[in-house]
Amino acid sequence: MTERGSAMAGDDDWLQSAFGALPARSRRMIEDRADGKTLRSIGEEHEVSRERVRQMLVKAQKHLCAGADVFVDDWRDRLTTLTGRSAVPQSEVAAALGVRDQVGVGLLVEAVGAEHPLTWAGRLRGWWTRSPGALEVLLRRGMEEAPLRGEDVTVTFAAAGVPDEVPLLDLLGHPDSPLVSGFGGTWLRRRARGRDAAYLFLLASGEPCRAEDLLAPTGIKRKPAVAEALRRDERFVQLRLEGKWALAEWPHLNVTPYPNAVEAFVAVLTELGPLPKDALFVKVGERYPVTLWRLHQCLLDDRVGITEDGQIELVARGAIPIEESEPARPARMAVDPAGNVFGVRLTVDKDVLRGSGVVVSSWLTWQLGMRQAPMVRTFSIAGHPTPIVLKRATSAAQISSLRVLVQEHGMVGGCEFVLFLRTDDSTARIEHACTQHVCPAAIGADGTDGTEVRPPDDSATERAP
């Protein structure tokens, strides 16, 4: 060791001595930079320019590198090899240099082109790499296995190649993390947290459960919303007739391969040919347990018909389509004597306000000649690009695209209105049908917001069915 080296070392840590030989202001700037401060903010604190801060840091780095050249001849090769990994803790870098871990280590590792690894939480300080994007690639590879139980997190990310000492829980808990914490220490995908929570809950319970049992673990507030979410996810199946939800991966469940009763109906006819109605119902029930009422609804599908000898067969093989008998007219529907204008009295409810289809009596579709399923008819609205849509399904009739119209008429939840459908020109219009003194919109307008709602025309009520 040279006399210069002995003077710099002072004790067994040459880097500590080299760092201590720097001016106090340079040491402070190095520490601030290690804490993540910008060159501009450091310059403002020391009343110098951003460029001057950069120059002082470069000079300090050269000083420390000169010390390393004296005491560790191959330090650049060591650090270059070490930082070829996705992420290396600074403590390991210090050990490779034979020194204690301190801020001066950062200047030396930067001299070989290393940076702090990038993550969705920002730069991972205290870690180094020459491939700054590599760690996030490994993290996202681990996330592909989500949702994760708490005990699986470490093993999953280790298998993806993430170094053991990376602060996983801090990264996962960051506001920008693709995962969020769930019940019992689980980690769920941010964009599918409810479905992921349901998956892990069912996995833990090991048996099917009702939609209402999943409200608490999923955080979803309404039972229909749970069912709708699970229905769109291929990991789940609903068991008929009990209606419970299970995991599709469970081998011990006798899960039907059919998405609905109609498809099971058609599949049986395709395989077995024409059958008497009662025998057909038995065969379908063996494959897809469902109510007798629903089986009768399946007869209205446009693919299903009846043969001359009264058996049920596919229309594609020559059967005659089956039409339903005329349903009873509900009290909230009417038609003019000419049979050209139909009126449907409806209430603004949650389905209307969120734009969902509103279920109505199939009397309306029967009267309009929509006696099989599926069938769709549209009615245009003057001044609106989106028409009213009337759909005939096997189980029910449905009207959609009402939300914008009721809102334009100043209606709110609880308001009554009449939808008029003209058959000769396929047009539609609506009229506000509340009486003036009990209209929810008028009552709401008397509040503090000062909104004035135009009173509805009472004559619409008189004309409504």
Side-chain angles (χ1 to χ4, degrees), residues 134-204:
L135 178 59
E136 187 163 4
V137 170
L138 299 179
L139 289 168
R140 293 190 182 277
R141 185 180 300 167
M143 286 189 194
E144 292 175 359
E145 303 300 318
L148 299 170
R149 296 173 296 184
E151 61 268 27
D152 296 333
V153 171
T154 302
V155 174
T156 298
F157 283 94
V162 177
D164 293 340
E165 298 177 18
V166 167
L168 267 177
L169 296 183
D170 291 342
L171 293 174
L172 296 180
H174 190 272
D176 293 330
S177 169
L179 301 187
V180 294
S181 60
F183 68 95
T186 58
W187 290 96
L188 319 170
R189 292 172 297 169
R190 185 177 296 276
R191 296 184 178 181
R193 65 183 72 183
R195 288 176 285 143
D196 281 357
Y199 176 83
L200 292 180
F201 183 83
L202 286 170
L203 194 64

Side-chain angles (χ1 to χ4, degrees), residues 76-410:
R76 286 183 174 83
D77 292 337
R78 293 188 191 183
L79 299 192
T80 297
T81 301
L82 192 60
T83 55
R85 290 152 42 186
S86 61
V88 181
Q90 185 165 294
S91 59
E92 189 173 343
V93 175
L97 294 172
V99 297
R100 290 189 292 271
D101 185 5
Q102 56 116 313
V103 293
V105 173
L107 289 182
L108 293 175
V109 76
E110 285 178 346
V112 299
E115 305 175 27
H116 296 302
L118 290 169
T119 71
W120 55 76
R123 296 277 185 175
L124 185 60
R125 301 201 172 272
W127 292 73
W128 297 95
T129 180
R130 288 185 295 106
S131 301
L135 178 59
E136 187 163 4
V137 170
L138 299 179
L139 289 168
R140 293 190 182 277
R141 185 180 300 167
M143 286 189 194
E144 292 175 359
E145 303 300 318
L148 299 170
R149 296 173 296 184
E151 61 268 27
D152 296 333
V153 171
T154 302
V155 174
T156 298
F157 283 94
V162 177
D164 293 340
E165 298 177 18
V166 167
L168 267 177
L169 296 183
D170 291 342
L171 293 174
L172 296 180
H174 190 272
D176 293 330
S177 169
L179 301 187
V180 294
S181 60
F183 68 95
T186 58
W187 290 96
L188 319 170
R189 292 172 297 169
R190 185 177 296 276
R191 296 184 178 181
R193 65 183 72 183
R195 288 176 285 143
D196 281 357
Y199 176 83
L200 292 180
F201 183 83
L202 286 170
L203 194 64
S205 66
E207 60 183 16
C209 68
R210 298 183 299 274
E212 53 265 35
D213 298 327
L214 295 169
L215 292 174
T218 62
I220 300 175
K221 299 186 180 300
R222 298 174 61 250
K223 174 183 172 182
V226 171
E228 180 61 26
L230 302 191
R231 193 172 290 115
R232 292 184 287 107
D233 194 316
E234 62 183 12
R235 293 176 295 176
F236 305 96
V237 291
Q238 189 173 24
L239 306 180
R240 310 285 182 164
L241 293 166
E242 64 269 31
K244 291 184 177 181
W245 288 93
L247 296 182
E249 65 191 53
W250 285 343
H252 61 285
L253 296 176
N254 183 22
V255 178
T256 173
Y258 307 106
N260 53 54
V262 175
E263 296 304 322
F265 211 88
V266 172
V268 170
L269 289 174
T270 300
E271 295 175 21
L272 303 181
L275 291 169
K277 184 178 69 175
D278 291 344
L280 173 61
F281 285 2
V282 170
K283 291 295 184 182
V284 174
E286 291 174 354
R287 301 189 184 193
Y288 193 93
V290 71
T291 63
L292 182 62
W293 173 84
R294 183 71 180 102
L295 289 170
H296 276 96
Q297 291 295 320
C298 291
L299 292 172
L300 300 177
D301 188 82
D302 60 2
R303 292 169 289 178
V304 178
I306 189 167
T307 63
E308 292 182 355
D309 58 356
Q311 297 196 84
I312 309 301
E313 172 63 302
L314 296 177
V315 171
R317 295 200 289 233
I320 301 171
I322 301 172
E323 293 185 359
E324 65 177 339
S325 57
E326 181 178 1
R329 182 179 70 83
R332 294 174 72 85
M333 292 186 181
V335 60
D336 72 333
N340 186 45
V341 180
F342 290 82
V344 183
R345 189 182 183 98
L346 298 166
T347 302
V348 179
D349 57 13
K350 291 181 179 179
D351 288 331
V352 173
L353 292 175
R354 66 171 172 248
S356 302
V358 179
V359 176
V360 295
S361 170
S362 59
W363 176 85
L364 178 61
T365 51
W366 194 93
Q367 293 290 334
L368 293 174
M370 303 166 65
R371 298 175 187 179
Q372 292 176 269
M375 294 188 74
V376 176
R377 185 165 178 178
T378 59
F379 296 83
S380 60
I381 304 284
H384 282 271
T386 304
I388 295 292
V389 180
L390 177 62
K391 298 180 180 179
R392 176 68 171 96
T394 55
S395 58
Q398 190 179 71
I399 298 174
S400 58
S401 308
L402 294 169
R403 176 175 58 182
V404 173
L405 290 173
V406 300
Q407 290 176 341
E408 286 185 356
H409 282 70

Side-chain angles (χ1 to χ4, degrees), residues 398-435:
Q398 190 179 71
I399 298 174
S400 58
S401 308
L402 294 169
R403 176 175 58 182
V404 173
L405 290 173
V406 300
Q407 290 176 341
E408 286 185 356
H409 282 70
M411 288 182 259
V412 298
C415 282
E416 295 279 324
F417 67 97
V418 179
L419 171 66
F420 294 99
L421 303 174
R422 291 186 63 92
T423 60
D424 57 352
D425 60 2
S426 295
T427 59
R429 63 183 177 86
I430 68 170
E431 289 191 15
H432 196 162
C434 291
T435 57

